[in-house]
Amino acid sequence: MSNFSQLKDLVMGLESDFEKFYDKNNSAAGTRVRKGMQELKNMAQSIRTEVQNAKNTAAPAAGAAKAAPAAKKAAPAAAKKAAPAAKKK
């Protein structure tokens, strides 16, 4: 949850710069907003990678067990499709 706290702190820290840029047309604040948004992007990518790695290492057998029933359900649906009727001349 530390990442989430850092993310919230970063967004809340940018609030005053957003107000200065959009409400008071302060271009220096716009530069700080852009810098903060880049940090936000990098942090988001880092969190995405961390979550993906945790997901991939946590119980891969459980994921395979869940996928098997879906494959069984898909097979009968494919078998039900009939060949298109022949056109009459």
Side-chain angles (χ1 to χ4, degrees), residues 49-79:
T49 302
E50 181 181 323
V51 168
Q52 186 67 38
N53 290 339
K55 187 180 89 167
N56 288 342
T57 58
K66 290 180 182 177
K72 290 179 183 177
K73 291 179 183 177

